[in-house]
Amino acid sequence: MVSNSAHYDVIILGAGASGLMCSATAGYQGQKVLVLDHAPKAAAKIRISGGGKCNFTNLNVAPEHFICQNPHFVKSALSRYPSSAFIELIERHELAYEIRRGGKFFCEQRASDLIQILHTECDWAGVEFQLNTAIESVEFKNNQYVISSTQGIFSAYKLVIATGALSFPKLKATGIGYEIAKQFGLNIIPTSPGLVPLTFSDKWQTRFSALSGLSLEVAIHIKGRVFKEAMLFTHKGLSGPAILQASNYWTRGEPIALNTLSEMTEEQVFEALLSLKQSGKSLPKWLNQFWPKRFTQVWLEAFPIETVLSNISHETLQQYAKLLTHWVLFPANTAGYDKAEVTLGGVDTDEFSSKTFEAKKQKNLFFIGEVLDVTGQLGGFNFQWAWASGVACGVALTE
Ligand SMILES: Cc1cc2nc3c(=O)[nH]c(=O)nc-3n(C[C@H](O)[C@H](O)[C@H](O)COP(=O)(O)OP(=O)(O)OC[C@H]3O[C@@H](n4cnc5c(N)ncnc54)[C@H](O)[C@@H]3O)c2cc1C
């Protein structure tokens, strides 16, 4: 517990992934650090992420896994604190982990084990915490940052904003970081929900509602990218890893194209349909090799064709092969911030040094983590960004 008026070298707003990493790094270097957060516990998002097992990093982290108006911005921090550095940290604490498809690292047991490691690091580094603390105002006076809060007034020479973004408001996410950025004249790139389910029209929902809960391996083509993963039918539309990945690149009004036979090209499907035609074998039986039966049934109701293809023209078969491999869908919307894992957009990275994360036009003010206009793909990239930006800033705080 701290007194209700105290001075620090560094105050960090936000006890999430980036704030914890930054505070431990700065604390180890002798900085007197206070972390303020309005939540009752630190790291709520880590706790529930990855189905409670937290996908905390990825084997193959590269700048192309991130969306940012300045694609070069992420390079410095990611190269100075690669995923191997975070893995080395958790191995030192003997955390058991597993590596899943796509090089995704998860805790073997519980995400809370990872939070415990971060708490231990912060304890060893002498970091102080003030949780349950709502921020009332941030001022820059006499070369110091003065934070008025529901728990008193705190001041520091350096201020780090690690308050995350708008996704999952039920976990205490707020836009305070953007408000502070605006207060200091920093530009904001417009925000929108990312890694989020997509919703469809009522008509579409009626047509495919019988599939709710069904998962299908697909390849989604969007803006020159292909995501080959599972897709999940929901009551309102589509979700699952493939759709969440695509949502980061989707703009309202645009289509997405699905290959429902993700291991085959249009030509291979056409060839397969031709040989079904010649052999007189049934199309549903062939489709059932790749799809759950329920999907085959609903698909054939939605896109009818003779079950035996003997009398179907080559041209029609060609069109059907195209439909199967390029099923063009027009989502109506996203499921919004309530269901989004991340927020696209944020505080413009051009306002900061990519090495120190200090604002170019406001001395000793730093922004890290998701509050910035940096969004990772699904796969542990968002946490890796939180760790890497937190460490880079933590090191810079002593310079
Ligand atoms: C459901 C879900 C699952 C996810 N799963 C994964 C995953 O498996 N792998 C992955 O890489 N990423 C995942 N993410 C994304 C990841 O959680 C975030 O990118 C990451 O937590 C961002 O770290 P951060 O430190 O920037 O912000 P956060 O971790 O969000 O921390 C921000 C902190 O600031 C505090 N705060 C906010 N507003 C205020 C205020 N007004 N006053 C005081 N404090 C405030 C919050 O309470 C919070 O503690 C997931 C996100 C969600 C929502």
Side-chain angles (χ1 to χ4, degrees):
M1 197 66 180
V2 291
S3 66
N4 60 2
S5 173
H7 183 78
Y8 292 84
D9 295 324
V10 180
I11 291 178
I12 298 179
L13 301 187
S18 64
L20 292 177
M21 205 63 183
C22 183
S23 59
T25 308
Y28 276 130
Q29 296 182 85
Q31 299 286 298
K32 188 173 183 239
V33 182
L34 173 68
V35 181
L36 295 177
D37 201 300
H38 65 165
K41 282 183 178 176
K45 283 191 182 168
I46 298 180
R47 197 174 304 277
I48 60 138
S49 63
K53 293 198 169 188
C54 185
N55 175 199
F56 55 82
T57 193
N58 195 290
L59 200 56
N60 306 302
V61 177
E64 57 265 29
H65 297 121
F66 296 84
I67 301 166
C68 176
Q69 289 228 329
N70 173 3
H72 302 291
F73 183 80
V74 298
K75 289 180 181 170
S76 172
L78 291 177
S79 66
R80 283 182 295 142
Y81 193 81
S83 54
S84 56
F86 191 75
I87 294 160
E88 193 268 328
L89 168 74
I90 60 156
E91 283 180 347
R92 250 189 290 130
H93 287 266
E94 299 180 349
L95 179 88
Y97 59 83
E98 57 190 21
I99 308 172
R100 297 194 196 158
R101 178 182 172 184
K104 297 174 192 153
F105 282 69
F106 286 80
C107 301
E108 200 178 272
Q109 302 292 327
R110 290 164 302 271
S112 52
D113 298 339
L114 178 54
I115 299 176
Q116 189 48 53
I117 291 176
L118 297 172
H119 274 306
T120 303
E121 290 284 327
C122 287
D123 281 352
W124 289 347
V127 175
E128 292 179 36
F129 284 86
Q130 183 76 49
L131 301 177
N132 277 316
T133 301
I135 313 298
E136 287 167 345
S137 69
V138 174
E139 287 174 284
F140 186 61
K141 294 199 276 211
N142 306 323
N143 279 327
Q144 289 185 41
Y145 291 90
V146 180
I147 316 297
S148 299
S149 78
T150 48
Q151 304 294 327
I153 294 174
F154 305 98
S155 59
Y157 299 116
K158 298 182 180 179
L159 178 64
V160 180
I161 309 302
T163 45
L166 298 170
S167 308
F168 260 65
K170 70 176 175 200
L171 293 182
K172 299 283 215 180
T174 72
I176 193 173
Y178 309 139
E179 287 161 33
I180 296 169
K182 279 188 212 150
Q183 181 186 336
F184 289 98
L186 308 179
N187 186 41
I188 314 278
I189 306 295
T191 61
S192 59
L195 298 181
V196 62
L198 297 176
T199 57
F200 286 79
S201 65
D202 291 347
K203 196 173 152 203
W204 194 92
Q205 287 174 30
T206 311
R207 213 169 180 196
F208 295 102
S209 61
L211 295 176
S212 181
L214 181 138
S215 173
L216 188 73
E217 281 292 313
V218 294
I220 302 195
H221 298 255
I222 186 161
K223 303 219 173 100
R225 287 166 199 275
V226 185
F227 296 106
K228 224 174 176 180
E229 300 204 49
M231 174 182 88
L232 180 73
F233 285 84
T234 66
H235 285 298
K236 298 205 160 166
L238 295 171
S239 185
I243 292 292
L244 299 188
Q245 294 281 33
S247 73
N248 267 358
Y249 299 91
W250 180 72
T251 317
R252 217 168 158 183
E254 288 179 348
I256 55 172
L258 300 187
N259 182 347
T260 62
L261 295 162
S262 60
E263 296 303 323
M264 298 172 87
T265 61
E266 182 183 336
E267 289 67 34
Q268 287 168 330
V269 173
F270 176 59
E271 289 302 321
L273 296 182
L274 267 186
S275 70
L276 284 181
K277 174 183 163 90
Q278 281 149 13
S279 64
K281 287 187 182 153
S282 124
L283 175 65
K285 204 167 168 197
W286 181 76
L287 289 172
N288 284 340
Q289 294 177 90
F290 310 102
W291 293 348
K293 282 193 181 129
R294 192 148 57 105
F295 185 68
T296 307
Q297 194 187 337
V298 172
W299 174 274
L300 290 172
E301 280 162 20
F303 307 110
I305 190 168
E306 302 280 321
T307 47
V308 176
L309 306 174
S310 315
N311 297 322
I312 309 290
S313 71
H314 279 213
E315 199 192 351
T316 306
L317 288 187
Q318 186 80 64
Q319 284 164 1
Y320 212 75
K322 184 160 184 135
L323 178 66
L324 287 162
T325 52
H326 294 85
W327 183 23
V328 178
L329 298 172
F330 283 87
N333 210 339
T334 73
Y337 289 115
D338 284 353
K339 297 268 159 66
E341 288 196 10
V342 290
T343 301
L344 293 156
V347 188
D348 190 345
T349 56
D350 282 350
E351 300 280 12
F352 302 92
S353 152
S354 63
K355 213 169 160 231
T356 64
F357 291 82
E358 185 176 13
K360 290 174 187 165
K361 52 172 93 129
Q362 178 65 35
K363 208 171 157 33
N364 291 332
L365 178 65
F366 301 77
F367 280 65
I368 54 172
E370 205 186 315
V371 69
L372 291 168
D373 167 38
V374 175
T375 307
Q377 294 179 348
L378 193 78
F381 302 106
N382 286 293
F383 279 130
Q384 185 58 34
W385 174 246
W387 317 136
S389 58
V391 169
C393 176
V395 169
L397 287 167
T398 50
E399 284 165 2

